[in-house]
Amino acid sequence: MDDTRDSRPGFLIVERYMPNASEEAREEAYATLRELMAILARINGRLTIERREADSTNAAGRLRISDSQGV
């Protein structure tokens, strides 16, 4: 293992779950993990924006105030 690879975020997860994998398989798994984390970060950002824009803080599963007034 070289120090550059070890310092990459998330690579310890790949090393933990794929200790006997080839270098190519580890790199592929690392790329897939990065893609997954990017998707999850976008989802989190979208949910944060939606929560901020909600009319009510208790809007889970309910109509927003503006929707219930027929606007």
Side-chain angles (χ1 to χ4, degrees):
M1 263 185 245
D2 64 27
D3 293 334
T4 305
R5 188 179 75 195
D6 291 347
S7 64
R8 292 186 292 180
F11 205 81
L12 288 176
I13 294 170
V14 173
E15 289 289 324
R16 169 77 167 97
Y17 291 101
M18 300 179 72
N20 299 322
S22 67
E23 189 67 27
E24 184 179 312
R26 287 182 193 165
E27 289 298 327
E28 186 177 333
Y30 178 70
T32 302
L33 178 62
R34 286 181 50 94
E35 290 172 12
L36 172 64
M37 295 309 294
I39 291 168
L40 293 176
R42 286 195 306 268
I43 291 170
N44 183 55
R46 194 172 332 138
L47 291 174
T48 300
I49 290 169
E50 288 177 4
R51 204 173 309 121
R52 209 177 304 138
E53 292 175 350
D55 292 338
S56 172
T57 57
N58 192 11
R62 298 187 182 133
L63 294 175
R64 293 183 178 174
I65 293 171
S66 61
D67 293 340
S68 65
Q69 294 176 352
V71 177

